[in-house]
Each structure stands twice: as structure tokens, then as C-alpha cells.
């Protein structure tokens, strides 16, 4: 199922306009076909959210026998706290995380990529090491630590690490992109007497919009989708995130509300999809379009 | 003028200058100032729990009572007397070897296709990212069963050609492949990173090459690939680390069992069972540090070889 | 109307302070009376539980902060909280984990409160016993249930076959299964799910032979030969197409929607009596239940009334007395009983059962009748499972059962391997 567009990667020679048009049509056909594969789960979930509960697992057709928005109403208000609260919480945590990650990780990445200091390679190796240990074994020590800090049952364990660049993924990502910026830029700026801070803020950051947008998108989506952190650190329902709320719909041992689960799952996708749509425009800006490279 | 930005490859000392400003510039201070947030986080929040888990790997720790020092026992048992360790290692290796290259190739191919300035580009990009948005939703488990079960969509499709397929997801010979397909299907993140990388390649280089009569394929090999190597390198390292640590897909699809017959018992799934299912956090910590050592060696090796094929602009 | 009467009656029996609390006049020291509660379950259970905690707050003052999670998320969180010294006061416990938590002193013995805060004089004896570890009471059963065979009545009607009754036997599975196959309903639905690695079903079968899975001192309580017989029994059914094929059975990874009953691949599924409601909610066909098959006509004693779940009190709790009061309220208050219904199983106090019986819906009534009328199917309570039972179930019985099913091991080989490995795990855990 996944090979469809891959077959089209053989790049065309672009000789005649007619051939070019055929290629374009073929590409669109392949992309559309692949899109259906990508869309199918969403359509299924959408259908499930409108179905009667006892039809979700027993009906083979993707079209519900009857359409009902009961699941949405029940799901939104079904828990003691409305899903509106969960959405607000998820927003607060995700937006703060985006700010923290973009700022702190870009600073660290700037240091690693464009400044020289003793111990740089050592710290870089340490940073990579933090990526390699499965979180399952640091969970309890970390919980104990956050509890001593008095942060359990607050958003702090979920947000503060972001402002301290705790996710090495983004540092590494930005390092790779910062190193791709022409060094003549800093040299010139530095001759003009710019401080490292100004170079970071006025040159490197503006030129790195694509990677910063990438980091913002990933941070938002991954924080939104993160489940384990909120599970461990939040206990009161009014603090729950959307993902945590979704998990309470099903229990493998007893009665579950699948309709509510799928209805709220559909809704939970809306903000991250919109965030993606908005920020992906920044992906195509930056160096290539400003033509500053070289 | 010798003041400049530096790459790890370029370790020659900067030229001496006399003004106060340039002494500070050459000093370590700016680097550490920029690194400060990360350093505070690393030393304050990250390293402590990591060292604790290293200590726990030399203990018996049942989560509920105090850990008990047992020396290297956990490591010895793992290597000499634990068939499940080897099973999970084999499953994970197989997953890494097949999912990472396929996912990367697929992500790069789609990113190239989407970088051509065709109409509807933002829409396609969003659609192709959709599977990654779903993350680890419960719906994925249900959906994958619908697609890869004996009477699932794949077999309905094959039946049109008279082929009777097995129940892919629950047959020990194929179940791991359904997880590899899932991993490839969620190719959105490396695709976006590739796209961002492609965007950093100046368009005028292609224009110049076109004027010289270079074919598209030649342009790809001579311009795109070399300039994209830092991003390829990043994606390869990250995806490999992530694949080694991969937990959630196997957890939701097999309900945490590694079902059927441990054919999807990923390393971290086994680790999780040991830690929270069977109350052996000490042993689980040892498993984690063995994984770290393994991934660390792989990463170090990649960095050593990277100077021969990764092209940085510095 | 009755609710109001019960409430007044209850309030008259309680202290003035508690009555003040009920009217919303919180005493200043109420903070120290606060309790934290954690349980697993779905939303329906949470709704009921939260209403009861409200009721308790009104009646006794203080507050009860409750938190609920799905089964899979519950255990890592509880373990993390406990390890972090932050365990909630009242903890919902499973039959499987209570030994683990009790032996490690993570939950407190409740014996000192019995007769005081905990009034258990009328409490069902077997359910009381079920909450004991090493002779001490660590958990109060919140309801009894039993293993049962859930059946898709509609499918039986379509096949034109009489559904089984409590007298059916393993031989009947074969004859009924052949007939079911011949009827070919819904594209080859099988009679029964593959139960060869269903631990409760194996246990039920062993008990009918006068054996058990585990002895009281945590050893295997059956022979290798029993295991060979068990695996062969299922192999015969598999070969005859009476039970589902191994690759279909492996689709069942735990959640209800993945079971053979919901996916329509089998008409019979071994499950628990209190799960009928949950199954019926996601199925269009009518579901009913009978007992597990007998090994021979007249054989019985395989079933037992299992505590479906407990409430335990954390060893670290500063409010144990208060927690015990809450437990007592939860199991005995008539108004709480009406709210809780039989969602956690059949209540263990006769007075509570009396309150609940008239208000049950159809499925719950079926479950109540089933558990109350087991007759000669009912046997004594088995000793609590050893701490390693969960590991043996998940990483041994399930895996070997599948290996035998897929033909990677013979029944003989599988049984021998199971016994040697299980013995090793039990010894290591002891």
C-alpha cells in the first residue's frame, strides 16, 4: 500500500511540454491515491463517531446506518469536567512548550553549531546520550525529583523542561540546520561589531525559519499527543489534557464509551491540524525564497 | 580576519587579538551562556534520574521496597540466562533494519515530489502528515486490525486476484511486518525535515546546473544529495534511535503482550513488562543501559564516519 | 421518595458534625480528613464512584479526591506514586496484584478496624477470605463475580442450535461445534473461541479434576500430564474447526472489541460474569451467559465467587481510620449501593444486595442470577495466586498456548516446557 508514490520518484527528463503534462497528471494521480491511504483512518474515525455504539465494531460498511451527534454531546460533557477544560489545558501546555523549545533549543543549538568553547564536544555527546535512554527507567527517579520540588499535580513538570531544552532531538535538529547557514554571514556581522547574541537573534534565527517552524510544529503536536507525562504528573481532572481525557473513555476490562472516544478523537485532531496548516507556510520561507544564500 | 563561527571539524585556535572585545569573543563565555538553559536542565533535571537508573541497574528493585545491591547480577542474567532478552533484541533489530531505511527512503521520495512546486502542495503536505498526527491513538490499534486481519482490507484486495492471504497482524511470521508498515506509514516527521532541508538548497544552483545541461538525476546526485547530507544524517541517526526505543506501536497493537508468540516483543516492551508488569525495575534499568550502550556505539560510529560523507557548509 | 427516607435515616444515625458537613458547613479541620482515591475503570464506573464520594463528603465531611484511569495506565501510575511516596489513601486492587502489594507492605492490614470503622459481621465469608494475604485482611471485596461463558444467542438462533445450559460438557463442545460448523452461519463463525491459553478457563478445568493452578505456598498444583491433556483437548477442537483458528484467536489482545465474540468469529467466549453489560453495549446480537463446560456430566466445583476487585488502604496513608470509614460507607450505605449497582460485581453484604436487587437492569439481573445460582458448579475459593502468577500467565501460558496452536510445539513439548519454566519463575519469585 505504501509503494504507490515511491514508484514515481524516477525524475522525468522534462523534454517536451506534452510529456511534462503527462508526468504532472501521473504525479497528481499518485499523490491522490496515496492521500486516500492517508485519509482512510480519519474517515473511519469520523464515521465511527457518528455511529450508534453497537455498530462501531460489528458493521463492515464505512457509511453509518444512521447519523447521530450523540457521541459528541455525550463525549464533550460525559466526564465530570467538560472537554473544554481539557482543550484549554492542552493549549496552555502545548503553546508554552513551543515557546520554551524554540527558544531554549535554538540557543543551545547556536552554541553547539556556531560558537567555540572548551568541552563542546563532551556536552554534545551528553546531549545525544539523553536521547538514548528509554524513558521508562528514569520515570520513577524523575517523579521523586519533581515531587521533592513540589511540582507534582501542576503543569510544571511538563513545561519547565521545555524551557531548559530537555529534548535533545530539537537541539540536534537545529544544529544540523544552523551549520548549513553560510559562515560568511557571521563573519561579516562580526566585523561590524555584532555580539554573538545579535548574530543569533538578527541573523541565524531569521534565516532559520523553516527549521524553527518544523520545531514548533513537532513540539506542538507531540506535546498535544503526549500521554505518559500528563498521566504520571497530573491527578486532578480539571488539570487533564485532551489525550488524558481520551484515555478515560476506554477500559479494556469493562464498559467503555467508544462513540465518545472517537468523537472527541476527531475534535482533538482539529487544533493540531490547524496548527500544522498555519505553520507549514513558514516551512517554505527562509533562505531559499529570500535568496540570501551565497 | 580570523574571527568566525566554528565547526567541530575546525578546531584550529583562533588568531590572537588584543582588544577586550575580541578576548571575550574568543573566550568560552558566550558558548556557555547560550548553553546555560540546557546545562541547568541537564544538571538539574536529567542527569540525576539517569544516574539513579544506572545505580538501580545494579540492584533488585521491586518498586515498592528499597533497592538491594546485587552487583552485576542483572547484566549476567541478561546475557547468560534470559531467552526473552535475545528474542526482544532480535525483534527490535529486525524492525530497525527494515523500518528505518524504508521509512527514510519513502519520506525523502515524497518530500522530493512535494518540493516541485506543483499545485495543491500545502494540501498534499497536510494530508501526508495526517497519519503522524494520529500518534498512538487507540483508533490505530482497531484500524490496523481491520486492515491486516484475515478478513481485513488487504486480504479483500488480494482476493480480487484470487490470493488468499493470512491474518497478517496475528500470524507470527508476518505480524512484525505490519508494525514496520505502520512505522513507514507515519513518515510525516522525517518528510517535513527533508522538506525543510530541501528548502535550504538555493534554487540558483539548480538553474546553473540546468544551463550546463545536467539531467535531473545528475542534479539530484550532484547537488541535492550532498547539500542534504546533514539532514539525511540527522534523520538517519534520530530514526534509528527512535526505532531502537520504539514502544508505543507495539504496545497498543499487541495490547502490551508482544503477541503473537512474542513476535512483536520489542526491546522496550519487554523492558516495560519487566518494570511495571513483573516489578523488576532493577532488571529493567539494566536492560535500558544495555540499549543505551548499543545505540551509543552505533551513534558514535555514525559520527566518526560522517566526516567522509556529510557535507557541512563550514 | 425512598431515597430521601434512606438519607434521613442515615443522617439521624450519624454524628452532628457529619450532619453539619452534609449541609455544607465544613468544619475548619476538614483538611486533615481529606482522602485520595484511585481506581481503574471506564467512565460509567467513574460516574457512579464520584457520586458516592460526593455522598460521603456530604455525610461525613472532608473531601475525597478521586482519580481514575484505564487498566493499562493504572498500574504504572500506581507503582510510580507508591515508589515516589505519594500513594493515594484508598487504592482499588486486583486479585492478581494484592499479594504483590501486601507482601511488600505497600498496603496496610485492615484487621484493627474490623468491628470498629469496618462493620463486616454479615460480609460474605468467601469474599472476606479472598482479601486476606498471610491471614491478614488487606482488601475489602467490592463485589463478587465468576467466570462465565458468554454466548451470542442470536447466532445460535441463526444456526438453529439450542444454546448450551449449565449442564453442558466439553464433549458437547465437539458435537455442538460440528453442528455449528455444518450450519455455516455468517461466513463460517465457529462455536467457541480458543481457550487453551485462557488462564481462568484452564483453572476451572483443573478444579473440576480436583486440582488447582497453584498451591497455597505458591507452587504448581497440577501435573505435566494435565497440561498435555489440556493442550490436546484444544488441539482436537482446533483440528475439527470447532474453535477458532490460532491466527484468528491471536487477534484477541485483551480489549473487549478484539475478542472473538465481538468480532463475530465465535459464538461462545470465556469471560467474567460482570462483563456482560460491557459486551452487550458494543454488540447488536443478544448476549447471554452460562457456566463453563463440565469435564463430565455431574462434575462440578470449577467455578468460584471471585472478588472482582478490592479497595485497599495505602500503608503510607496518614488517614487510615478515615479510609476504613470510607470503605465501610462504600460497601454498606444503602444509597451508595443504589448508585453503585452491581457495576463492580455482586455486593458482598446481604443488606446491600437487598437494596440493589429490585433496581437491576436485564443484563445485570442475568449476571446476578448466574452468580447466585451456580449450584454444584460452585467450588471453594482457591488460595490467592502467588506473586508470579501474572508473569506466568502473560509470558508463559499465552506464548506456549500460541506456539502449540500454531504448531510450533507439540502439546507434550509445550506442557513440559510450561511446567519447567513456570517452576523456575515461581522459585525465583519465592
Amino acid at each position: 500500500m505504501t509503494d504507490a508514490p515511491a514508484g514515481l520518484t524516477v525524475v522525468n527528463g522534462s523534454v517536451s511540454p506534452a510529456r511534462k503534462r503527462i508526468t504532472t497528471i501521473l504525479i497528481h494521480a499518485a499523490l491522490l491515491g496515496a492521500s486516500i491511504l492517508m485519509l482512510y483512518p480519519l474517515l473511519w474515525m469520523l464515521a465511527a463517531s457518528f455511529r450508534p455504539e453497537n455498530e462501531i465494531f460489528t458493521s463492515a460498511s464505512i457509511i453509518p446506518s444512521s447519523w447521530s451527534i450523540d457521541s459528541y454531546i455525550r463525549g464533550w460533557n460525559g466526564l465530570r469536567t467538560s472537554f473544554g477544560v481539557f482543550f484549554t489545558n492542552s493549549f496552555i501546555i502545548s503553546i508554552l512548550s513551543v515557546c520554551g523549545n524554540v527558544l531554549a533549543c535554538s540557543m543551545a543549538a547556536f552554541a553547539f553549531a556556531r560558537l567555540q568553547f572548551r568541552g563542546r564536544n563532551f556536552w554534545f555527546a551528553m546531549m545525544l546520550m539523553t536521547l538514548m535512554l528509554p524513558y521508562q527507567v528514569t520515570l520513577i527517579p524523575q517523579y521523586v525529583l519533581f515531587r521533592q520540588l513540589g511540582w507534582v499535580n501542576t503543569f510544571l513538570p511538563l513545561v519547565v523542561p521545555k524551557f531548559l531544552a530537555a529534548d535533545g532531538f530539537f537541539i540536534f535538529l537545529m544544529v544540523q540546520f544552523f551549520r548549513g547557514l553560510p559562515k560568511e554571514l557571521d563573519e561579516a556581522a562580526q566585523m561590524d561589531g555584532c555580539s554573538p547574541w545579535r548574530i543569533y537573534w538578527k541573523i541565524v534565527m531569521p534565516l532559520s525559519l523553516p527549521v524553527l517552524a518544523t520545531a514548533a510544529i513537532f513540539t506542538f503536536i507531540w506535546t498535544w499527543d503526549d500521554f505518559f507525562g500528563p498521566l504520571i504528573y497530573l491527578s486532578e481532572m480539571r488539570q487533564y489534557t485532551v489525550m488524558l481525557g481520551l484515555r478515560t473513555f476506554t477500559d479494556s476490562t469493562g464498559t467503555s464509551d467508544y462513540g465518545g472516544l472517537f468523537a472527541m478523537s476527531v475534535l482533538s485532531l482539529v487544533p493540531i491540524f490547524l496548527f500544522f496548516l498555519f505553520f507549514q507556510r513558514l516551512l517554505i520561507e527562509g533562505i531559499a525564497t529570500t535568496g540570501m544564500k551565497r | 580576519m580570523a574571527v568566525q563561527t566554528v565547526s567541530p571539524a575546525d578546531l584550529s585556535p583562533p588568531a590572537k587579538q588584543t582588544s577586550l572585545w575580541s578576548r571575550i569573543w574568543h573566550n568560552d563565555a558566550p558558548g556557555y551562556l547560550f548553553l546555560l538553559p540546557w546545562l541547568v536542565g541537564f544538571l538539574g533535571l536529567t542527569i540525576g534520574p539517569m544516574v539513579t537508573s544506572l545505580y538501580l541497574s545494579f540492584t533488585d528493585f521491586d518498586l515498592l521496597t528499597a533497592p538491594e545491591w546485587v552487583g552485576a547480577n542483572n547484566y549476567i542474567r541478561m546475557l547468560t540466562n534470559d531467552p526473552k532478552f535475545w528474542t526482544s533484541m532480535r525483534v527490535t533489530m529486525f524492525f530497525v533494519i527494515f523500518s528505518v531505511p524504508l521509512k527514510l527512503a519513502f519520506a525523502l521520495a515524497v518530500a522530493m515530489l512535494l518540493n516541485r512546486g506543483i499545485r495543491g502542495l500545502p494540501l498534499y503536505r497536510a494530508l501526508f502528515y495526517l497519519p503522524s498526527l494520529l500518534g498512538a491513538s487507540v483508533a490505530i490499534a482497531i484500524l490496523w486490525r481491520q486492515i491486516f486481519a484475515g478478513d481485513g482490507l488487504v486480504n479483500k484486495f488480494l482476493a480480487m486476484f484470487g490470493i488468499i492471504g493470512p491474518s497478517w497482524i496475528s500470524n507470527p511470521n508476518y505480524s512484525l511486518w505490519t508494525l514496520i508498515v505502520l512505522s513507514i506509514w507515519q513518515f510525516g516527521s522525517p518528510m517535513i525535515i527533508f522538506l525543510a532541508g530541501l528548502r535550504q538548497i538555493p534554487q540558483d544552483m539548480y538553474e546553473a546546473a540546468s544551463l550546463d545541461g545536467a539531467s535531473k538525476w545528475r542534479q539530484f546526485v550532484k547537488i541535492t544529495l550532498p547539500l542534504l547530507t546533514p539532514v539525511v544524517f540527522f534523520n538517519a541517526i534520530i530514526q534509528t534511535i527512535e526505532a531502537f526505543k520504539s514502544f508505543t506501536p507495539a504496545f497498543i497493537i499487541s495490547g502490551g503482550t508482544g503477541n503473537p508468540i512474542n513476535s512483536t516483543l520489542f526491546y522496550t516492551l519487554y523492558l516495560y513488562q519487566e518494570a511495571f508488569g513483573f516489578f523488576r525495575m532493577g532488571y529493567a534499568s539494566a536492560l535500558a543501559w544495555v540499549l543505551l550502550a548499543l545505540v551509543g556505539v552505533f551513534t558514535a560510529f555514525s559520527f566518526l564516519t560522517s566526516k567522509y560523507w556529510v557535507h557541512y557548509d563550514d | 421518595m425512598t431515597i430521601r427516607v434512606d438519607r434521613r435515616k442515615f443522617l439521624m444515625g450519624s454524628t452532628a458534625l457529619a450532619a453539619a458537613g452534609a449541609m455544607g458547613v465544613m468544619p475548619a479541620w476538614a483538611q486533615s480528613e481529606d482522602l485520595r482515591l484511585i481506581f481503574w475503570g471506564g467512565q460509567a464506573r467513574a460516574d457512579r464512584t464520584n457520586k458516592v464520594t460526593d455522598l460521603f463528603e456530604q455525610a461525613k465531611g472532608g473531601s475525597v479526591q478521586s482519580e481514575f484511569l484505564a487498566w493499562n495506565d493504572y498500574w504504572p501510575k500506581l507503582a510510580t506514586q507508591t515508589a515516589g511516596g505519594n500513594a493515594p489513601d484508598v487504592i482499588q486492587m486486583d486479585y492478581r496484584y494484592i499479594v504483590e502489594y501486601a507482601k511488600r507492605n505497600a498496603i496496610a492490614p485492615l484487621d484493627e478496624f474490623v468491628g470498629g470503622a469496618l462493620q463486616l459481621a454479615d460480609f460474605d465469608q468467601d469474599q472476606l477470605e479472598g482479601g486476606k494475604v498471610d491471614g491478614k485482611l488487606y482488601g475489602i471485596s467490592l463485589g463478587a463475580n465468576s467466570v462465565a461463558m458468554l454466548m451470542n444467542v442470536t447466532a445460535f438462533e441463526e444456526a438453529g442450535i439450542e444454546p448450551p445450559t449449565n449442564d453442558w460438557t466439553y464433549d458437547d463442545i465437539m458435537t455442538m461445534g460440528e453442528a455449528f460448523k455444518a450450519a455455516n452461519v455468517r461466513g463460517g463463525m465457529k462455536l467457541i473461541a480458543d481457550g487453551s491459553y485462557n488462564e481462568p478457563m484452564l483453572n476451572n478445568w483443573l478444579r473440576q479434576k480436583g486440582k488447582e493452578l497453584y498451591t497455597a505456598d505458591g507452587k504448581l498444583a497440577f501435573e505435566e500430564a494435565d497440561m498435555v491433556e489440556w493442550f490436546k483437548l484444544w488441539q482436537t477442537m482446533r483440528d475439527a474447526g470447532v474453535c477458532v483458528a490460532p491466527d484468528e484467536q491471536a487477534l484477541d489482545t485483551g480489549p473487549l472489541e478484539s475478542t472473538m465474540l465481538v468480532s463475530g468469529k465465535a459464538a461462545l467466549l470465556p469471560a467474567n460474569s460482570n462483563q456482560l453489560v460491557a459486551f452487550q453495549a458494543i454488540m447488536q446480537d443478544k448476549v447471554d451467559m452460562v457456566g463453563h463446560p463440565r469435564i463430565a456430566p455431574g462434575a462440578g466445583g470449577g467455578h468460584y465467587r471471585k472478588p472482582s476487585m478490592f479497595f485497599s488502604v495505602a500503608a503510607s496513608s496518614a488517614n487510615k481510620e478515615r479510609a476504613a470509614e470510607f470503605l465501610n460507607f462504600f460497601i454498606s450505605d444503602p444509597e451508595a449501593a443504589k448508585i453503585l449497582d452491581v457495576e463492580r460485581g455482586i455486593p458482598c453484604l446481604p443488606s446491600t444486595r437487598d437494596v440493589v436487587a429490585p433496581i437491576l437492569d436485564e443484563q445485570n439481573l442475568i449476571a446476578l442470577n448466574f452468580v447466585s445460582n451456580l449450584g454444584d458448579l460452585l467450588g471453594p475459593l482457591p488460595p490467592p495466586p502467588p506473586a508470579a502468577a501474572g508473569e506466568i500467565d502473560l509470558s508463559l501460558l499465552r506464548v506456549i498456548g500460541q506456539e502449540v496452536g500454531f504448531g510450533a510445539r507439540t502439546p507434550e513439548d509445550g506442557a513440559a516446557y510450561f511446567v519447567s519454566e513456570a517452576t523456575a519463575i515461581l522459585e525465583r519469585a519465592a
Side-chain angles (χ1 to χ4, degrees), chain A residues 218 221-222 276, chain B residues 125-133 188-189 192:
Chain A
F218 288 176
I221 293 168
W222 292 348
F276 180 86
Chain B
R125 209 161 41 204
L127 285 179
F128 287 1
Y129 198 73
L130 260 181
S132 310
L133 284 184
S189 305
I192 295 291

Side-chain angles (χ1 to χ4, degrees), chain C residues 342-361:
Chain C
V342 294
E343 197 271 327
R344 280 185 168 87
I346 317 294
C348 307
L349 278 169
S351 52
T352 309
R353 274 199 294 273
D354 293 343
V355 176
V356 167
I359 57 167
L360 290 182
D361 64 14

Side-chain angles (χ1 to χ4, degrees), chain C residues 257-285:
Chain C
E257 77 273 6
S258 72
T259 58
M260 299 297 102
L261 191 69
V262 177
S263 58
K265 291 181 166 52
L268 291 167
L269 177 82
N272 288 318
S273 59
N274 59 340
Q275 289 181 305
L276 182 69
V277 186
F279 275 98
Q280 188 64 77
I282 52 172
M283 287 182 64
Q284 291 172 313
D285 299 333

Side-chain angles (χ1 to χ4, degrees), chain A residues 2 9 11-12 28 38 41 44 113 118 120 123 131 140 142 165 173 176 179 182 186 190 196 218 225 280 288, chain B residues 3 5-6 8 25 28 32 38 63 106 109 122 124-125 129 131 133 143 146 185 199 216 230 234 245 312-313:
Chain A
T2 46
T9 51
V11 184
N12 62 314
H28 273 285
M38 303 297 150
W44 184 87
R118 267 164 290 182
R120 188 182 58 181
W123 293 120
L131 285 174
I140 289 181
Q142 203 144 44
L173 174 71
Q176 293 305 88
R179 285 180 71 177
D186 316 32
Q190 210 241 319
F218 288 176
D225 279 346
Q280 73 157 356
Chain B
V3 260
T5 58
V6 198
W25 178 255
D28 300 331
Y32 277 94
W38 178 78
L63 298 174
F106 192 59
Y124 285 128
R125 209 161 41 204
Y129 198 73
L133 284 184
L143 205 71
Q146 287 208 337
W185 184 63
R199 280 285 148 184
K216 283 277 163 78
F234 171 82
K245 293 197 320 186
Y312 291 108
D313 189 38

Side-chain angles (χ1 to χ4, degrees), chain A residues 89-159:
Chain A
N89 292 336
S90 282
F91 257 114
I92 294 170
I93 295 173
S94 300
I95 292 288
L96 285 176
S97 296
V98 169
C99 299
N101 250 351
V102 169
L103 203 67
C105 291
S106 66
M107 282 174 70
F110 179 72
F112 281 129
R114 296 187 92 85
L115 296 174
Q116 193 181 28
F117 55 93
R118 267 164 290 182
R120 188 182 58 181
N121 289 348
F122 170 77
W123 293 120
F124 191 73
M126 285 289 116
M127 186 272 291
L128 283 179
M129 198 175 90
T130 62
L131 285 174
M132 298 174 196
L133 197 66
Y135 67 86
Q136 288 91 346
V137 294
T138 50
L139 194 68
I140 289 181
Q142 203 144 44
Y143 182 86
V144 172
L145 177 71
F146 283 131
R147 187 165 134 72
Q148 277 162 357
L149 292 169
W151 291 2
V152 169
N153 285 344
T154 70
F155 292 163
L156 293 177
L158 307 174
V159 170

